[in-house]
């Protein structure tokens, strides 16, 4: 990755996080615009995507355990983004650290656990 892109990510990510926190109430109010899950309405069972909106709302309120209980995918992806951001900052400072595995088997298991 080029140094210019790393600097852009290092500067842009905190700004984006601050904007999301400032607009938190507006973002939470948008959940009423999403349609009800058709699968849940027809069968009474939660599908694999059910809980994403509730998970995001819980994270925006700072309730991490509630977010994981609603749907673990969103907090897990946020954790991955944070780890990638830390790797990016370390690369800017000249340190070569790897917080995330780079092997395909690990990511295959992760995708199998959360997205199937």
């Amino acid at each position: 990755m080029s140094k210019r892109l790393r600097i852009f990510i290092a500067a842009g990510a905190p700004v984006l996080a601050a904007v999301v926190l400032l607009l938190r109430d507006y973002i939470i109010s948008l959940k009423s615009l999403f349609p009800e899950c058709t699968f849940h309405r027809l069968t009474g069972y939660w599908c694999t995507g059910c809980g994403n909106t509730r998970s995001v709302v819980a994270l925006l309120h700072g309730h991490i355990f509630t977010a994981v209980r609603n749907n673990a995918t969103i907090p897990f992806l946020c954790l991955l983004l944070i780890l990638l951001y830390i790797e990016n900052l370390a690369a800017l400072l000249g340190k070569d650290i790897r917080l995330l595995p780079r092997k395909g088997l690990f990511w295959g298991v992760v995708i199998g656990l959360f997205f199937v």
Side-chain angles (χ1 to χ4, degrees):
M1 186 180 316
S2 71
K3 188 167 183 171
R4 180 178 292 172
L5 181 59
R6 288 188 189 276
I7 292 171
F8 179 75
I9 291 171
V15 171
L16 181 63
V19 168
V20 167
L21 287 177
L22 286 174
L23 297 175
R24 179 178 65 183
D25 294 330
Y26 177 72
I27 294 169
I28 291 171
S29 70
L30 292 177
K31 75 177 180 177
S32 63
L33 299 176
F34 291 115
E36 181 184 346
C37 178
T38 305
F39 182 81
H40 178 65
R41 188 177 69 230
L42 294 175
T43 65
Y45 296 110
W46 297 108
C47 71
T48 56
C50 284
N52 282 339
T53 304
R54 292 189 308 269
S55 183
V56 169
V57 169
L59 278 178
L60 288 173
H61 280 117
H63 304 164
I64 296 171
F65 293 115
T66 304
V68 171
R69 190 175 57 232
N70 286 328
N71 193 331
T73 305
I74 302 299
F76 180 75
L77 290 175
C78 289
L79 176 65
L80 287 179
L81 286 174
I82 290 169
L83 292 175
L84 286 172
Y85 181 73
I86 292 171
E87 282 186 4
N88 182 52
L89 281 179
L92 271 176
L93 298 173
K95 309 282 186 196
D96 187 27
I97 62 169
R98 297 287 183 221
L99 299 174
L100 297 173
R102 301 294 196 259
K103 301 291 181 187
L105 177 63
F106 171 79
W107 292 109
V109 170
V110 168
I111 290 170
L113 286 175
F114 288 101
F115 299 109
V116 174

